[in-house]
Amino acid sequence: MSSTYGTLFKISTFGESHGPAIGVVIDGCPAGLTFDTDFIQHDLDRRKPGQSRITTQRREADEFEVLSGVFDGKTQGTPIALVIRNTDQRSKDYGHIAEQFRPSHADYTYQTKYGSRDYRGGGRSSARETAARVAAGAVAKLLLAQQGVQVQAYVSQVGTMKLEKAYADLNLALAEENPVRCPDPEMAERMFQYIDETRKQGDSIGGIVDCVVTGVPVGWGEPVFDKLHAELGKAMLSINAVKGFEYGSGFAGAALYGSQHNDEFYTDEQGRVRTKTNQSGGIQGGISNGEDIYFRTAFKPVATIMQDQDSVDIHGQPVTVSGKGRHDPCVVPRAVPIVEAMAALVLVDMYLRNKVSQIDRQEAGIL
């Protein structure tokens, strides 16, 4: 089982949903970075459960501990180990599915592949694991901020309720002022009521998280197989419940003519080469082109619902699975910091890889 991501800036996550703790080891973070614990904790607070009645009521403080790699508030260039203790597990809530396969969960595939599974909240397949990613992603954000790069995600759709405005026409700072994390206050209220009504019906609903990255210079990305958008897609699709990824014009671009879709170049007043439009989503040829990078990530409805469903047990016999425990009726409000974290991890790795590539080219006399 692969629990590691990255080439130069690597993370390895560990722990299970109902184990003693979860955590992450970050390898490759440069020395001398100011380790802002408040910033990291703030991102964890954005992801933690129990934020409102439309999220799971599991109560976890998600306070992290630093085990290594930081001294006097600075990174040391050595592996950084962070741990988050689990304090509110209710493993008894999952006893009834010890030999049952929950529809659309990882129960059947994990059991078949590994011959056993941790049925307590899903073990490693639980979204609880993403707290470790958010902690690592916050460290990546700190490093990116030194390069003038900012990552901002928000909820653009819940079920059929879709925010039609482009990100440039929104005040993205407003996303953190409501529990849905939608930057349009009116739409946010409608989405909240929609999710709450879905919760009362014992059902779940999916949604979409948009993400905008500003400040990325020209040159990040490693063709041909490690293209920037390919790595972003892989990172987003590694998040629990994600079913779709598109960047730039995405699938809508398939309906356009080339004359409509092409981003024409021009030189601005500062002498920089820019594009008049940004159908490319800030990436061309797998390499950042200096424009905003934007993409969308689609999340399915949460698989655990408070309704009876037909399934089979480990012996292949028909059973009725009853939903129990504490679960989100919609994951997208808490997924916003997870999307940001995975984007930051991709970008910081690409930043370091590009830096090394430039040094190699200079030494080879190419630059």
Side-chain angles (χ1 to χ4, degrees):
M1 181 184 294
S2 176
S3 295
T4 300
Y5 178 79
T7 303
L8 296 182
F9 191 100
K10 293 184 180 181
I11 69 163
S12 296
T13 67
F14 61 87
E16 292 78 37
S17 176
H18 285 232
I22 55 175
V24 61
V25 176
I26 305 168
D27 200 4
C29 182
L33 175 68
T34 298
F35 196 80
D36 189 339
T37 56
D38 290 339
F39 178 82
I40 298 167
Q41 188 60 58
H42 178 260
D43 262 12
L44 284 169
D45 289 345
R46 295 169 65 215
R47 194 223 69 97
K48 74 179 182 181
Q51 296 181 38
S52 72
R53 69 174 183 264
I54 62 168
T55 63
T56 172
Q57 294 306 295
R58 179 169 173 170
R59 298 292 178 181
E60 295 283 0
D62 280 357
E63 295 178 349
F64 73 98
E65 304 170 36
V66 181
L67 302 185
S68 67
V70 179
F71 181 72
D72 276 350
K74 300 283 187 179
T75 58
Q76 300 296 295
T78 55
I80 300 168
L82 308 177
V83 66
I84 302 165
R85 308 289 176 183
N86 292 328
T87 60
D88 190 29
Q89 313 95 310
R90 294 183 185 174
S91 299
K92 60 182 177 58
D93 288 346
Y94 298 88
H96 68 293
I97 53 106
E99 295 189 349
Q100 297 179 346
F101 297 138
R102 295 169 295 174
S104 288
H105 272 278
D107 299 343
Y108 170 69
T109 51
Y110 266 58
Q111 182 74 38
T112 302
K113 181 176 179 66
Y114 299 107
S116 64
R117 65 185 169 90
D118 184 348
Y119 60 83
R120 305 167 303 164
R124 284 292 285 169
S125 68
S126 169
R128 178 81 183 131
E129 178 265 343
T130 60
R133 305 191 196 195
V134 170
V139 177
K141 284 183 183 180
L142 291 172
L143 194 55
L144 289 172
Q146 292 185 339
Q147 305 305 313
V149 176
Q150 298 293 326
V151 183
Q152 172 75 66
Y154 63 93
V155 173
S156 65
Q157 185 171 336
V158 171
T160 57
M161 290 188 177
K162 183 179 180 181
L163 191 59
E164 299 291 349
K165 297 176 182 177
Y167 75 86
D169 298 325
L170 295 165
N171 180 0
L172 300 188
L174 295 178
E176 290 302 313
E177 295 188 5
N178 62 77
V180 181
R181 293 200 167 88
C182 173
D184 184 301
E186 182 180 347
M187 179 60 80
E189 179 59 29
R190 290 173 57 196
M191 287 177 172
F192 183 94
Q193 297 303 327
Y194 186 20
I195 297 171
D196 198 33
E197 186 58 35
T198 300
R199 176 188 66 83
K200 292 175 182 177
Q201 295 171 2
D203 216 332
S204 63
I205 193 71
I208 294 176
V209 174
D210 287 21
C211 188
V212 182
V213 185
T214 59
V216 176
V218 181
W220 293 9
E222 299 294 329
V224 289
F225 294 113
D226 289 353
K227 294 175 179 175
L228 181 52
H229 57 273
E231 288 300 303
L232 285 169
K234 176 182 178 180
M236 297 308 135
L237 290 164
S238 76
I239 301 171
N240 310 63
V242 170
K243 287 295 184 180
F245 170 82
E246 63 177 8
Y247 76 101
S249 61
F251 285 95
L256 300 178
Y257 291 107
S259 56
Q260 297 171 305
H261 191 272
N262 287 347
D263 295 317
E264 295 182 345
F265 290 107
Y266 73 100
T267 302
D268 68 12
E269 295 177 354
Q270 286 74 44
R272 298 174 303 179
V273 175
R274 303 289 305 276
T275 59
K276 295 179 182 179
T277 54
N278 192 16
Q279 303 280 15
S280 300
I283 304 170
Q284 293 172 324
I287 303 170
S288 61
N289 68 356
E291 303 296 328
D292 291 350
I293 294 170
Y294 65 96
F295 59 86
R296 309 176 77 221
T297 304
F299 290 78
K300 70 174 183 176
V302 176
T304 298
I305 59 176
M306 298 301 111
Q307 298 178 14
D308 290 346
Q309 300 178 88
D310 293 333
S311 189
V312 297
D313 62 18
I314 60 174
H315 307 292
Q317 299 302 307
V319 294
T320 298
V321 176
S322 299
K324 295 181 181 179
R326 300 161 295 176
H327 305 276
D328 293 87
C330 180
V331 299
V332 291
R334 293 175 59 216
V336 166
I338 303 170
V339 168
E340 290 179 1
M342 292 309 299
L345 289 167
V346 170
L347 290 164
V348 79
D349 197 42
M350 287 298 183
Y351 156 63
L352 293 172
R353 292 174 70 175
N354 189 63
K355 191 175 180 180
V356 169
S357 179
Q358 286 181 325
I359 294 171
D360 289 344
R361 293 198 298 273
Q362 287 173 342
E363 291 180 346
I366 298 174
L367 291 180

